[in-house]
Structure formats: structure tokens, C-alpha cells
Amino acid sequence: MDQNTSTNFSDLIKKSVLENFNSDISIITILLTMSIAFVIGLFIYLLYKRVFSGVLYSKSFNVSLIGMTLITALVIIAINSNLVLSLGMVGALSIVRFRTPIKDPTDLIFLFWAAVAGIVTGAGFYTLAVIGSVIVGMVLFIFIKSASFETPYLLVVNCDSAESEQAILQKLNSLVKRFNVKQKTVTDSGVEMTVEVRLGQDDPRFVNEITKLSGVSNAVLISYSGDYVSQ
């Protein structure tokens, strides 16, 4: 009696597991899943392009968001179709390492969103994928676009004396919202300063006023964000 019950329970578990895998994937299911994944990926692509606020927009990274959604959906379709294949893919994907550095946390959010959208779509939860993506997109759009960003700049100034340096700092105090001296190099030929400046209004014409000061040989304004610099 107990043995039969145990056997039946074991068979029931095996049957329930195997029923979740369908080796016969219809063309309609594949096309529908990939189409929805593409639409969601395109939505992520357009939203990222719309809300991007960094210095250098990377089109290749943005296009990769569409590819991430489609490829992830394709993998999940294959995993759902065969138990042995799913175990093999889990083992193969566990050794994959991504070396591309993600410097902006917002980029990481979009990358994770694309992967999750592909997983949910590939699993067949189309409604969840679409509604969830719309909600996430609305939240990101509202919070990113409504935030007021101050574009940081690096001002590199070369002058000939300490008096000129003091005049530069006084002029910056009246022209910019705030500033912070990041680096100062003193040589026999003069002084070079690297100053981080924040503008009240995004108007870099204040550099013209700096170059007019006595003793200033040149001034270079560089827009930067975080760890990388764009001139």
C-alpha cells in the first residue's frame, strides 16, 4: 500500500515536470513570442534614447538592448521545449562572462530590464511582459526626465602667477554656480589648474571672460561625466 502510494506520487511528480516541457513548438508561437519581444525591445530602445542624459550616447549599446530581449526570449523558448536541453543551456550559460563595463547605473537598469522582458516573454507571459514594461517605462521616464541635472564641466586654465590664479578663482565665484579645484600644477613657466564647475544655466560662454583676465594664457572647457571625459 505504502509502496504503491510512493510510486504513484513519484510518477505524478515526473509527469508534472515532463508536462511543463513541450518539444513541439509551433511556428505561430515562435513568431508571436519573437514579435512581442521585438516590440518590447524597440520600446526599451526608444525610451533609452529619449531619456539618455549622459555625455556620449552609444547607439551600439542601445541596439544591443533589442538584441538582448530577442535572444533571451529565444533561449527561454528552447528551455521550455526540452528538459535535457534546458539543463545543458543552464550549464553553458553559467560559464558566460560579460566584460563590458557599465559605468552608468541607468544603463544597468535598462540592460536588466531587457533581459527580464525577454525571459518573461519567452516563458509565454505576454500580458505580464507588456504591462510590466509599460509600467517600468513610465516610472523611468517620469523620474529621469523630471530630475534636474547639472552638467558638470572641467575647466583647465593656464596662468603665469599666483595673482592670476587668485583673479581666476574670484571671477569663477561670480560667474558659475559653484566650483571645486581638482588639480593644481605649479611649474617654472606658470600654474595649471583643473577646476570642476557647475553652471546655473548651461552656458559655457563664461570661459571667454576667464581668457580676458591678465596673465591667463589659455582656458579649456571639457564636459565630463563620472569616470570618462569627452572633449
Side-chain angles (χ1 to χ4, degrees), residues 115-168:
V116 171
I119 292 174
V120 177
T121 305
F125 300 103
Y126 306 132
T127 304
L128 175 61
V130 173
I131 295 178
S133 295
V134 171
I135 294 175
V136 172
M138 290 176 60
V139 170
L140 291 177
F141 181 82
I142 291 173
F143 279 90
I144 293 177
K145 296 302 291 184
S146 63
S148 57
F149 292 98
E150 295 179 353
T151 303
Y153 291 92
L154 287 180
L155 177 65
V156 182
V157 186
N158 290 276
C159 56
D160 58 6
S161 63
E163 290 75 14
S164 299
E165 174 189 347
Q166 190 64 29
I168 292 170

Side-chain angles (χ1 to χ4, degrees), residues 3 18 23-24 26 32 34 44 50-51 60 67 81 91 120-121 132 137 154 159 161 171 191 193 200-201 222 231:
Q3 183 178 0
L18 292 175
S23 58
D24 186 16
S26 65
L32 177 62
M34 298 303 291
I44 297 174
R50 181 69 177 82
V51 303
S60 60
S81 66
V120 177
T121 305
L154 287 180
C159 56
S161 63
K171 195 68 173 178
V191 179
M193 288 193 304
Q201 296 180 351
I222 303 171
Q231 190 164 359

Side-chain angles (χ1 to χ4, degrees), residues 3 21 23 25 42 54 58 62 85 91 95 124 126 136 152 172-173 183-184 193-194 196 202 221 225 230:
Q3 183 178 0
F21 294 91
S23 58
I25 307 175
L42 182 61
S58 176
N62 201 5
L85 179 62
I95 65 175
Y126 306 132
V136 172
L172 285 174
N173 194 39
Q183 182 180 1
K184 176 181 176 182
M193 288 193 304
T194 302
E196 179 185 351
D202 195 7
L221 186 66
S225 177
S230 172

Side-chain angles (χ1 to χ4, degrees), residues 12-190:
L12 180 62
I13 294 297
K14 293 179 181 179
K15 183 178 179 182
S16 64
V17 171
L18 292 175
E19 284 178 349
N20 290 327
F21 294 91
N22 183 16
S23 58
D24 186 16
I25 307 175
S26 65
I27 300 298
I28 296 178
T29 301
I30 296 175
L31 294 178
L32 177 62
T33 301
M34 298 303 291
S35 298
I36 295 176
F38 173 75
V39 171
I40 295 176
L42 182 61
F43 173 68
I44 297 174
Y45 170 88
L46 295 175
L47 182 65
Y48 179 83
K49 186 176 182 180
R50 181 69 177 82
V51 303
F52 179 78
S53 58
V55 177
L56 295 176
Y57 168 75
S58 176
K59 185 177 180 180
S60 60
F61 173 80
N62 201 5
V63 172
S64 69
L65 296 177
I66 301 179
M68 173 71 75
T69 308
L70 290 171
I71 294 172
T72 307
L74 186 63
V75 170
I76 296 302
I77 292 174
I79 289 177
N80 283 338
S81 66
N82 188 280
L83 177 59
V84 177
L85 179 62
S86 66
L87 296 177
M89 279 194 166
V90 169
L93 293 176
S94 65
I95 65 175
V96 175
R97 296 292 183 270
F98 297 96
R99 300 297 184 184
T100 302
I102 303 296
K103 298 180 180 180
D104 190 346
T106 305
D107 293 349
L108 185 60
I109 292 175
F110 277 91
L111 192 62
F112 185 68
W113 177 14
V116 171
I119 292 174
V120 177
T121 305
F125 300 103
Y126 306 132
T127 304
L128 175 61
V130 173
I131 295 178
S133 295
V134 171
I135 294 175
V136 172
M138 290 176 60
V139 170
L140 291 177
F141 181 82
I142 291 173
F143 279 90
I144 293 177
K145 296 302 291 184
S146 63
S148 57
F149 292 98
E150 295 179 353
T151 303
Y153 291 92
L154 287 180
L155 177 65
V156 182
V157 186
N158 290 276
C159 56
D160 58 6
S161 63
E163 290 75 14
S164 299
E165 174 189 347
Q166 190 64 29
I168 292 170
L169 297 179
Q170 291 178 356
K171 195 68 173 178
L172 285 174
N173 194 39
S174 62
L175 292 176
V176 301
K177 186 174 182 180
R178 65 178 184 271
F179 67 91
N180 182 30
V181 177
K182 290 292 186 180
Q183 182 180 1
K184 176 181 176 182
T185 304
V186 180
T187 62
D188 294 337
S189 59

